[in-house]
Amino acid sequence: MNLDCFFYPESVAVFGSFKKGAIAYEILRNIVEGGFEGKTIPVNPRGGTVEVAGKTFEVREKLDEPVDTAIIAIPAKFVPGLIDEIGPLIKGAVVISAGFSEVGNEELERELIEKAKKHGVRIIGPNCAGIFGVHGKFFGSFEVRVSPGGLALISQSGAFGGAALAMGNDEGIGFSAFVSYGNAADLNESDFLEYFADDENTKVIALYIEGVKDGRRFLKALRYASERKPVIVLKAGKSASGAKAAASHTGSLAGSYEIYRAAFKQTGAIEVEEMEELFDAAKAFEMYSRAGKRVAVITNSGGPGVLATDKLERLGLEIARLSDETVEELRSFLPPQCSVKNPIDLIADADYERYKKTIETVCRDENVDSILVICVPPIFIPSEEIARAVIETDCDKPVIVNFMAGELVRGGVELLERHGIKNFPTPERAARALKWLSMRKKE
Amino acid sequence: MNLDCFFYPESVAVFGSFKKGAIAYEILRNIVEGGFEGKTIPVNPRGGTVEVAGKTFEVREKLDEPVDTAIIAIPAKFVPGLIDEIGPLIKGAVVISAGFSEVGNEELERELIEKAKKHGVRIIGPNCAGIFGVHGKFFGSFEVRVSPGGLALISQSGAFGGAALAMGNDEGIGFSAFVSYGNAADLNESDFLEYFADDENTKVIALYIEGVKDGRRFLKALRYASERKPVIVLKAGKSASGAKAAASHTGSLAGSYEIYRAAFKQTGAIEVEEMEELFDAAKAFEMYSRAGKRVAVITNSGGPGVLATDKLERLGLEIARLSDETVEELRSFLPPQCSVKNPIDLIADADYERYKKTIETVCRDENVDSILVICVPPIFIPSEEIARAVIETDCDKPVIVNFMAGELVRGGVELLERHGIKNFPTPERAARALKWLSMRKKE
């Protein structure tokens, strides 16, 4: 199904109150400040004007021209009527308004869908936080704006989605799209999976779900998407108490977790255990589509190298056995105190040259599938120098980077990120990133 | 053993080069900028002056008066001679210099210890990153300075220690002390465990070890410390490859991990799996000494509440069954859309009053041991308001806080931290904090 009217719209109308702080105002502000280049029409029966980001918009009393999508944040009871009225003018509607099936108003939700069907309008929501089409500079939500990149985030929970966007900014994640689909009265997780599977700006899909209504359809969509790109899933409501809580808040039956787990495994989706892992997996897959199991660790500090090695083995990855040629070559240019066995310890005074030559040498080794580069910069070597070594290294295998620590590596990490290289803040999180990459089946 | 001369010195001499960027210069800078109020004497045979932080120090050609401790960053081969020379004037020496047993110079290390013993001088190092006595404003290391608090960090790896200090700053952790003990030629992990067990500024001890030389002594020290305060241990070199790597870099036999694990369990030490967990556990224990297993979750957003619930159950904690009185009281003041079952969902518009009253009501419930408070602030409620509710709530049970997301909660998190309340950035990390607290035996 083509959902371009939502994620790459050419025109949008926003319905609601345009008082400062009101939902519709905040969404309009996000659309304008986000640099949306299409037509943007605020609508409220009271008319008047609204100022956002230094621009003054006339608020129309009603929609009187066709737009791709409508974003609706008016009281629930008026939504079906509005859809009936503007149905002939719109392709899709995002219904932010709450007060439908999630509070027992099933009838109102049915009415909404009836009106939408009558006009062939597709609905996202109701009771949702909205959508972003980041590459179309369309921020149709009150959530915090994000940077363009490869991650499409599909979230059943609006609050989880909003938090994940803001935290994604902190983690240096780039997004292609975001959708909070709320009650899923019409479009649901399966529709979005299929759409983003074919969206060329999306490199990886992340999905937060509590429960799905149509398991068979979900399985099919998950398989379709996973065959095309990495799909990361965070399933909430796995425990007995968690499932009960999920049922009470989305009304969705979480169902047996075992069934979901089997589905994830069977379709090749990457299941993560925690919110933070979702970010880490997304970061890894924004850079690489997969990696083999044999890892070489290159470090300038022993302890963190040991921690990485422990975690890699624990996760079922292999500490690559370097070839004799590699060991010999490393020995030829590394100082004698360095360890040329994997993990390779370049010791504290490792500089640009030592890192670069080592990564390139190891990268040529046929026994190595991927490389984990650790750097704890000593006071006399700026982290930017090591970052440059990683950036300028010629290596065609996945390189996962762990620069520690805090303020001391801020410069290096920023430099890496400007070149599309994401940093993992601890050795263990970097090791886990390689684990996700190794779980992805060959295409 | 009293190690006050190291962690609460009244006078210190620093030996080495005072050129900008040199190790001794950086240590002197840290001591001066850190506000050390005792006598500080730079020593170098060439004499001259050195300027740090706007102050000019005369560099003495030799030490000619007694000091509590000497920090030594001169070439390794001169260290034993120096100790012999200044032995009568000092109580302890921190030997930063590398080039001893870790590179095969066992003889030089033996000589160093012989000279120290002759004069009754205790040695930290050699081949270490130095020490901090934070409450004495003594920063005797080139590592980044930290804020005062309750955590004493003991690290076998200098790089790990340095990274952990910088990351601890980012995590809002307060420190009482730091020691990187390098080759442990004289003082070792057991000495520090025993000392910090009785140090009144230390509320929690964190230990990074790869291997210990005297297992029996270690067991005794670990038990002594664990009986007095929480001891968090991160053991590196657990896997086969990790143990080999550890042996090659510290020369210490990592030994069988199973033996260590049994020791941690037997003594009541809290073993963590990852570097990040060490921070989280330290944060939890800086606030609370322990907690029971029955947790109440209070949230303003369903999804994150479900994730917390899942994780708590997975970790073996219990979702507390609220008493009928509690449920009734909650029902009396919460809006009807709120869920009064645990996890308690206050829904998105929960404000100061709703959070405060709910926490206080739940806190009075005898079925509840501890509380996990989650907040994903909606756009119309500033995170500071909810932070104030947590701060001003009257509750005598452990309250662990998870404010999400990124920039949206920066203000609230800062406010919490100013009041000594640490934030856990995801529901799962907050749940794990409660797990650590529940592992601690009753005193």
Side-chain angles (χ1 to χ4, degrees), chain A residues 52-90:
Chain A
V52 268
K55 282 188 195 175
T56 304
F57 287 81
E58 197 185 323
V59 178
R60 301 205 195 162
E61 287 168 28
K62 52 184 288 189
L63 185 66
D64 48 13
E65 63 178 291
V67 292
D68 278 342
T69 196
I71 301 188
I72 299 172
I74 66 173
K77 59 182 171 183
F78 301 126
V79 176
L82 177 66
I83 294 291
D84 202 19
E85 179 196 322
I86 65 174
L89 295 171
I90 62 174

mmCIF file of all heavy atoms in Angstrom, chain A residues 52-90:
data_model
loop_
_atom_site.group_PDB
_atom_site.id
_atom_site.type_symbol
_atom_site.label_atom_id
_atom_site.label_comp_id
_atom_site.label_asym_id
_atom_site.label_seq_id
_atom_site.Cartn_x
_atom_site.Cartn_y
_atom_site.Cartn_z
ATOM 1 N N VAL A 52 3.751 31.436 13.783
ATOM 2 C CA VAL A 52 4.720 30.414 14.213
ATOM 3 C C VAL A 52 6.032 30.644 13.494
ATOM 4 O O VAL A 52 6.052 30.903 12.293
ATOM 5 C CB VAL A 52 4.271 28.959 13.895
ATOM 6 C CG1 VAL A 52 3.529 28.347 15.038
ATOM 7 C CG2 VAL A 52 3.490 28.899 12.612
ATOM 8 N N ALA A 53 7.097 30.575 14.254
ATOM 9 C CA ALA A 53 8.446 30.692 13.698
ATOM 10 C C ALA A 53 8.568 31.933 12.811
ATOM 11 O O ALA A 53 9.145 31.887 11.725
ATOM 12 C CB ALA A 53 8.810 29.420 12.915
ATOM 13 N N GLY A 54 7.987 33.036 13.268
ATOM 14 C CA GLY A 54 8.120 34.294 12.536
ATOM 15 C C GLY A 54 7.217 34.437 11.315
ATOM 16 O O GLY A 54 7.232 35.464 10.647
ATOM 17 N N LYS A 55 6.425 33.388 11.037
ATOM 18 C CA LYS A 55 5.510 33.466 9.888
ATOM 19 C C LYS A 55 4.078 33.605 10.388
ATOM 20 O O LYS A 55 3.711 32.993 11.392
ATOM 21 C CB LYS A 55 5.582 32.179 9.053
ATOM 22 C CG LYS A 55 6.782 32.073 8.149
ATOM 23 C CD LYS A 55 6.617 30.856 7.249
ATOM 24 C CE LYS A 55 7.937 30.497 6.593
ATOM 25 N NZ LYS A 55 7.849 29.261 5.808
ATOM 26 N N THR A 56 3.282 34.384 9.669
ATOM 27 C CA THR A 56 1.875 34.500 10.049
ATOM 28 C C THR A 56 1.017 33.689 9.082
ATOM 29 O O THR A 56 1.148 33.814 7.862
ATOM 30 C CB THR A 56 1.425 35.968 10.018
ATOM 31 O OG1 THR A 56 2.297 36.708 10.882
ATOM 32 C CG2 THR A 56 -0.010 36.108 10.506
ATOM 33 N N PHE A 57 0.183 32.817 9.638
ATOM 34 C CA PHE A 57 -0.729 32.018 8.825
ATOM 35 C C PHE A 57 -2.153 32.487 9.067
ATOM 36 O O PHE A 57 -2.538 32.750 10.203
ATOM 37 C CB PHE A 57 -0.650 30.541 9.221
ATOM 38 C CG PHE A 57 0.603 29.859 8.785
ATOM 39 C CD1 PHE A 57 1.777 29.987 9.526
ATOM 40 C CD2 PHE A 57 0.620 29.081 7.628
ATOM 41 C CE1 PHE A 57 2.932 29.352 9.132
ATOM 42 C CE2 PHE A 57 1.778 28.442 7.222
ATOM 43 C CZ PHE A 57 2.947 28.579 7.968
ATOM 44 N N GLU A 58 -2.919 32.536 8.002
ATOM 45 C CA GLU A 58 -4.342 32.761 8.152
ATOM 46 C C GLU A 58 -4.973 31.426 8.529
ATOM 47 O O GLU A 58 -4.691 30.404 7.903
ATOM 48 C CB GLU A 58 -4.909 33.242 6.806
ATOM 49 C CG GLU A 58 -6.259 33.876 6.935
ATOM 50 C CD GLU A 58 -6.792 34.204 5.536
ATOM 51 O OE1 GLU A 58 -5.977 34.599 4.680
ATOM 52 O OE2 GLU A 58 -8.003 34.023 5.345
ATOM 53 N N VAL A 59 -5.775 31.421 9.583
ATOM 54 C CA VAL A 59 -6.475 30.187 9.961
ATOM 55 C C VAL A 59 -7.795 30.149 9.190
ATOM 56 O O VAL A 59 -8.637 31.038 9.346
ATOM 57 C CB VAL A 59 -6.746 30.143 11.477
ATOM 58 C CG1 VAL A 59 -7.520 28.875 11.831
ATOM 59 C CG2 VAL A 59 -5.448 30.228 12.263
ATOM 60 N N ARG A 60 -7.944 29.121 8.339
ATOM 61 C CA ARG A 60 -9.183 29.052 7.551
ATOM 62 C C ARG A 60 -10.314 28.497 8.407
ATOM 63 O O ARG A 60 -10.099 27.642 9.262
ATOM 64 C CB ARG A 60 -8.974 28.149 6.340
ATOM 65 C CG ARG A 60 -7.851 28.678 5.479
ATOM 66 C CD ARG A 60 -7.955 28.249 4.055
ATOM 67 N NE ARG A 60 -6.672 28.509 3.407
ATOM 68 C CZ ARG A 60 -6.296 27.956 2.274
ATOM 69 N NH1 ARG A 60 -7.113 27.101 1.648
ATOM 70 N NH2 ARG A 60 -5.129 28.240 1.738
ATOM 71 N N GLU A 61 -11.514 28.981 8.127
ATOM 72 C CA GLU A 61 -12.657 28.502 8.912
ATOM 73 C C GLU A 61 -13.047 27.095 8.508
ATOM 74 O O GLU A 61 -13.589 26.340 9.287
ATOM 75 C CB GLU A 61 -13.827 29.464 8.780
ATOM 76 C CG GLU A 61 -13.552 30.737 9.572
ATOM 77 C CD GLU A 61 -14.537 31.848 9.260
ATOM 78 O OE1 GLU A 61 -15.685 31.531 8.881
ATOM 79 O OE2 GLU A 61 -14.137 33.031 9.392
ATOM 80 N N LYS A 62 -12.776 26.766 7.243
ATOM 81 C CA LYS A 62 -12.952 25.365 6.832
ATOM 82 C C LYS A 62 -11.981 25.049 5.705
ATOM 83 O O LYS A 62 -11.461 25.965 5.047
ATOM 84 C CB LYS A 62 -14.404 25.087 6.425
ATOM 85 C CG LYS A 62 -14.963 26.058 5.403
ATOM 86 C CD LYS A 62 -16.418 25.770 5.123
ATOM 87 C CE LYS A 62 -16.483 24.476 4.320
ATOM 88 N NZ LYS A 62 -17.828 24.177 3.798
ATOM 89 N N LEU A 63 -11.741 23.761 5.503
ATOM 90 C CA LEU A 63 -10.845 23.367 4.422
ATOM 91 C C LEU A 63 -11.590 23.519 3.109
ATOM 92 O O LEU A 63 -12.707 23.018 2.958
ATOM 93 C CB LEU A 63 -10.377 21.916 4.622
ATOM 94 C CG LEU A 63 -9.327 21.427 3.613
ATOM 95 C CD1 LEU A 63 -8.017 22.196 3.785
ATOM 96 C CD2 LEU A 63 -9.083 19.929 3.760
ATOM 97 N N ASP A 64 -10.977 24.223 2.158
ATOM 98 C CA ASP A 64 -11.695 24.468 0.909
ATOM 99 C C ASP A 64 -10.848 24.119 -0.323
ATOM 100 O O ASP A 64 -11.122 24.565 -1.420
ATOM 101 C CB ASP A 64 -12.158 25.925 0.849
ATOM 102 C CG ASP A 64 -11.039 26.895 1.210
ATOM 103 O OD1 ASP A 64 -9.864 26.435 1.266
ATOM 104 O OD2 ASP A 64 -11.317 28.074 1.452
ATOM 105 N N GLU A 65 -9.798 23.334 -0.121
ATOM 106 C CA GLU A 65 -9.036 22.858 -1.274
ATOM 107 C C GLU A 65 -8.416 21.500 -0.934
ATOM 108 O O GLU A 65 -8.257 21.165 0.242
ATOM 109 C CB GLU A 65 -7.942 23.862 -1.655
ATOM 110 C CG GLU A 65 -6.893 24.055 -0.578
ATOM 111 C CD GLU A 65 -5.799 25.037 -1.037
ATOM 112 O OE1 GLU A 65 -5.028 24.657 -1.943
ATOM 113 O OE2 GLU A 65 -5.738 26.155 -0.488
ATOM 114 N N PRO A 66 -8.072 20.714 -1.932
ATOM 115 C CA PRO A 66 -7.559 19.376 -1.650
ATOM 116 C C PRO A 66 -6.157 19.432 -1.009
ATOM 117 O O PRO A 66 -5.342 20.287 -1.368
ATOM 118 C CB PRO A 66 -7.457 18.709 -3.032
ATOM 119 C CG PRO A 66 -8.129 19.617 -3.986
ATOM 120 C CD PRO A 66 -8.170 20.984 -3.374
ATOM 121 N N VAL A 67 -5.913 18.541 -0.037
ATOM 122 C CA VAL A 67 -4.561 18.362 0.520
ATOM 123 C C VAL A 67 -4.290 16.855 0.607
ATOM 124 O O VAL A 67 -5.219 16.048 0.608
ATOM 125 C CB VAL A 67 -4.405 18.982 1.926
ATOM 126 C CG1 VAL A 67 -4.478 20.493 1.882
ATOM 127 C CG2 VAL A 67 -5.427 18.404 2.897
ATOM 128 N N ASP A 68 -3.014 16.520 0.710
ATOM 129 C CA ASP A 68 -2.675 15.104 0.824
ATOM 130 C C ASP A 68 -3.157 14.517 2.138
ATOM 131 O O ASP A 68 -3.756 13.453 2.185
ATOM 132 C CB ASP A 68 -1.147 14.921 0.730
ATOM 133 C CG ASP A 68 -0.678 14.917 -0.718
ATOM 134 O OD1 ASP A 68 -1.543 14.712 -1.604
ATOM 135 O OD2 ASP A 68 0.518 15.139 -0.961
ATOM 136 N N THR A 69 -2.862 15.250 3.210
ATOM 137 C CA THR A 69 -3.181 14.659 4.504
ATOM 138 C C THR A 69 -3.701 15.703 5.480
ATOM 139 O O THR A 69 -3.346 16.883 5.395
ATOM 140 C CB THR A 69 -1.955 13.898 5.070
ATOM 141 O OG1 THR A 69 -2.372 13.029 6.110
ATOM 142 C CG2 THR A 69 -0.913 14.852 5.626
ATOM 143 N N ALA A 70 -4.565 15.249 6.380
ATOM 144 C CA ALA A 70 -5.095 16.124 7.428
ATOM 145 C C ALA A 70 -4.599 15.605 8.768
ATOM 146 O O ALA A 70 -4.569 14.398 8.995
ATOM 147 C CB ALA A 70 -6.625 16.097 7.405
ATOM 148 N N ILE A 71 -4.187 16.541 9.619
ATOM 149 C CA ILE A 71 -3.833 16.149 10.982
ATOM 150 C C ILE A 71 -4.870 16.748 11.903
ATOM 151 O O ILE A 71 -5.102 17.962 11.881
ATOM 152 C CB ILE A 71 -2.423 16.633 11.331
ATOM 153 C CG1 ILE A 71 -1.447 16.011 10.328
ATOM 154 C CG2 ILE A 71 -2.060 16.244 12.758
ATOM 155 C CD1 ILE A 71 -0.008 16.233 10.654
ATOM 156 N N ILE A 72 -5.491 15.884 12.691
ATOM 157 C CA ILE A 72 -6.696 16.285 13.400
ATOM 158 C C ILE A 72 -6.509 16.188 14.907
ATOM 159 O O ILE A 72 -6.230 15.113 15.435
ATOM 160 C CB ILE A 72 -7.893 15.413 12.941
ATOM 161 C CG1 ILE A 72 -8.107 15.630 11.438
ATOM 162 C CG2 ILE A 72 -9.149 15.730 13.740
ATOM 163 C CD1 ILE A 72 -9.117 14.699 10.815
ATOM 164 N N ALA A 73 -6.649 17.332 15.569
ATOM 165 C CA ALA A 73 -6.532 17.371 17.025
ATOM 166 C C ALA A 73 -7.687 18.179 17.591
ATOM 167 O O ALA A 73 -7.494 19.208 18.230
ATOM 168 C CB ALA A 73 -5.188 17.956 17.444
ATOM 169 N N ILE A 74 -8.904 17.702 17.324
ATOM 170 C CA ILE A 74 -10.120 18.349 17.831
ATOM 171 C C ILE A 74 -10.808 17.343 18.754
ATOM 172 O O ILE A 74 -10.453 16.172 18.762
ATOM 173 C CB ILE A 74 -11.057 18.759 16.666
ATOM 174 C CG1 ILE A 74 -11.595 17.498 15.951
ATOM 175 C CG2 ILE A 74 -10.321 19.650 15.671
ATOM 176 C CD1 ILE A 74 -12.665 17.808 14.901
ATOM 177 N N PRO A 75 -11.791 17.781 19.547
ATOM 178 C CA PRO A 75 -12.466 16.832 20.446
ATOM 179 C C PRO A 75 -12.996 15.620 19.682
ATOM 180 O O PRO A 75 -13.530 15.748 18.572
ATOM 181 C CB PRO A 75 -13.600 17.658 21.046
ATOM 182 C CG PRO A 75 -13.077 19.063 21.026
ATOM 183 C CD PRO A 75 -12.265 19.165 19.764
ATOM 184 N N ALA A 76 -12.859 14.442 20.297
ATOM 185 C CA ALA A 76 -13.165 13.172 19.627
ATOM 186 C C ALA A 76 -14.535 13.163 18.961
ATOM 187 O O ALA A 76 -14.680 12.723 17.823
ATOM 188 C CB ALA A 76 -13.036 12.020 20.636
ATOM 189 N N LYS A 77 -15.524 13.670 19.679
ATOM 190 C CA LYS A 77 -16.895 13.510 19.168
ATOM 191 C C LYS A 77 -17.122 14.211 17.833
ATOM 192 O O LYS A 77 -18.034 13.869 17.098
ATOM 193 C CB LYS A 77 -17.907 14.004 20.207
ATOM 194 C CG LYS A 77 -17.742 15.463 20.592
ATOM 195 C CD LYS A 77 -18.751 15.878 21.669
ATOM 196 C CE LYS A 77 -18.385 17.282 22.172
ATOM 197 N NZ LYS A 77 -19.234 17.767 23.239
ATOM 198 N N PHE A 78 -16.269 15.210 17.520
ATOM 199 C CA PHE A 78 -16.456 15.918 16.248
ATOM 200 C C PHE A 78 -15.671 15.299 15.082
ATOM 201 O O PHE A 78 -15.804 15.751 13.948
ATOM 202 C CB PHE A 78 -16.027 17.392 16.381
ATOM 203 C CG PHE A 78 -16.795 18.143 17.425
ATOM 204 C CD1 PHE A 78 -16.140 18.841 18.443
ATOM 205 C CD2 PHE A 78 -18.192 18.168 17.386
ATOM 206 C CE1 PHE A 78 -16.853 19.533 19.414
ATOM 207 C CE2 PHE A 78 -18.913 18.867 18.353
ATOM 208 C CZ PHE A 78 -18.245 19.550 19.379
ATOM 209 N N VAL A 79 -14.841 14.302 15.387
ATOM 210 C CA VAL A 79 -13.943 13.791 14.350
ATOM 211 C C VAL A 79 -14.685 13.099 13.201
ATOM 212 O O VAL A 79 -14.436 13.414 12.031
ATOM 213 C CB VAL A 79 -12.844 12.884 14.950
ATOM 214 C CG1 VAL A 79 -11.981 12.279 13.850
ATOM 215 C CG2 VAL A 79 -11.971 13.673 15.925
ATOM 216 N N PRO A 80 -15.639 12.161 13.493
ATOM 217 C CA PRO A 80 -16.313 11.503 12.368
ATOM 218 C C PRO A 80 -16.984 12.514 11.431
ATOM 219 O O PRO A 80 -16.885 12.398 10.198
ATOM 220 C CB PRO A 80 -17.350 10.608 13.050
ATOM 221 C CG PRO A 80 -16.772 10.339 14.401
ATOM 222 C CD PRO A 80 -16.072 11.611 14.788
ATOM 223 N N GLY A 81 -17.632 13.525 11.992
ATOM 224 C CA GLY A 81 -18.275 14.548 11.177
ATOM 225 C C GLY A 81 -17.272 15.285 10.302
ATOM 226 O O GLY A 81 -17.521 15.530 9.113
ATOM 227 N N LEU A 82 -16.142 15.619 10.879
ATOM 228 C CA LEU A 82 -15.111 16.342 10.116
ATOM 229 C C LEU A 82 -14.620 15.486 8.945
ATOM 230 O O LEU A 82 -14.470 15.962 7.824
ATOM 231 C CB LEU A 82 -13.943 16.719 11.023
ATOM 232 C CG LEU A 82 -12.786 17.420 10.305
ATOM 233 C CD1 LEU A 82 -13.211 18.792 9.774
ATOM 234 C CD2 LEU A 82 -11.561 17.566 11.220
ATOM 235 N N ILE A 83 -14.382 14.192 9.234
ATOM 236 C CA ILE A 83 -13.908 13.293 8.177
ATOM 237 C C ILE A 83 -14.939 13.235 7.041
ATOM 238 O O ILE A 83 -14.594 13.260 5.854
ATOM 239 C CB ILE A 83 -13.655 11.872 8.746
ATOM 240 C CG1 ILE A 83 -12.485 11.889 9.744
ATOM 241 C CG2 ILE A 83 -13.370 10.877 7.617
ATOM 242 C CD1 ILE A 83 -11.129 12.140 9.160
ATOM 243 N N ASP A 84 -16.217 13.182 7.427
ATOM 244 C CA ASP A 84 -17.266 13.140 6.407
ATOM 245 C C ASP A 84 -17.251 14.413 5.560
ATOM 246 O O ASP A 84 -17.414 14.380 4.344
ATOM 247 C CB ASP A 84 -18.638 12.980 7.098
ATOM 248 C CG ASP A 84 -19.674 12.412 6.144
ATOM 249 O OD1 ASP A 84 -19.267 11.819 5.104
ATOM 250 O OD2 ASP A 84 -20.877 12.553 6.413
ATOM 251 N N GLU A 85 -16.978 15.530 6.236
ATOM 252 C CA GLU A 85 -17.001 16.828 5.544
ATOM 253 C C GLU A 85 -15.804 16.994 4.610
ATOM 254 O O GLU A 85 -15.944 17.395 3.470
ATOM 255 C CB GLU A 85 -16.992 17.934 6.619
ATOM 256 C CG GLU A 85 -16.985 19.348 6.065
ATOM 257 C CD GLU A 85 -16.587 20.371 7.146
ATOM 258 O OE1 GLU A 85 -17.010 20.182 8.317
ATOM 259 O OE2 GLU A 85 -15.841 21.303 6.826
ATOM 260 N N ILE A 86 -14.609 16.670 5.088
ATOM 261 C CA ILE A 86 -13.407 16.934 4.280
ATOM 262 C C ILE A 86 -12.959 15.714 3.487
ATOM 263 O O ILE A 86 -12.000 15.787 2.708
ATOM 264 C CB ILE A 86 -12.230 17.432 5.162
ATOM 265 C CG1 ILE A 86 -11.786 16.331 6.150
ATOM 266 C CG2 ILE A 86 -12.607 18.715 5.898
ATOM 267 C CD1 ILE A 86 -10.539 16.704 6.947
ATOM 268 N N GLY A 87 -13.659 14.585 3.664
ATOM 269 C CA GLY A 87 -13.293 13.339 2.984
ATOM 270 C C GLY A 87 -12.972 13.514 1.500
ATOM 271 O O GLY A 87 -11.964 13.004 1.016
ATOM 272 N N PRO A 88 -13.801 14.247 0.769
ATOM 273 C CA PRO A 88 -13.530 14.388 -0.674
ATOM 274 C C PRO A 88 -12.248 15.169 -0.975
ATOM 275 O O PRO A 88 -11.759 15.130 -2.105
ATOM 276 C CB PRO A 88 -14.766 15.177 -1.166
ATOM 277 C CG PRO A 88 -15.817 14.947 -0.140
ATOM 278 C CD PRO A 88 -15.102 14.802 1.162
ATOM 279 N N LEU A 89 -11.702 15.876 0.022
ATOM 280 C CA LEU A 89 -10.538 16.748 -0.231
ATOM 281 C C LEU A 89 -9.207 16.130 0.209
ATOM 282 O O LEU A 89 -8.148 16.677 -0.085
ATOM 283 C CB LEU A 89 -10.736 18.086 0.503
ATOM 284 C CG LEU A 89 -11.901 18.961 0.046
ATOM 285 C CD1 LEU A 89 -12.109 20.135 0.999
ATOM 286 C CD2 LEU A 89 -11.663 19.468 -1.383
ATOM 287 N N ILE A 90 -9.247 15.012 0.953
ATOM 288 C CA ILE A 90 -8.000 14.470 1.529
ATOM 289 C C ILE A 90 -7.781 13.006 1.140
ATOM 290 O O ILE A 90 -8.727 12.300 0.797
ATOM 291 C CB ILE A 90 -8.011 14.569 3.077
ATOM 292 C CG1 ILE A 90 -9.162 13.739 3.668
ATOM 293 C CG2 ILE A 90 -8.125 16.019 3.535
ATOM 294 C CD1 ILE A 90 -9.154 13.658 5.185
#
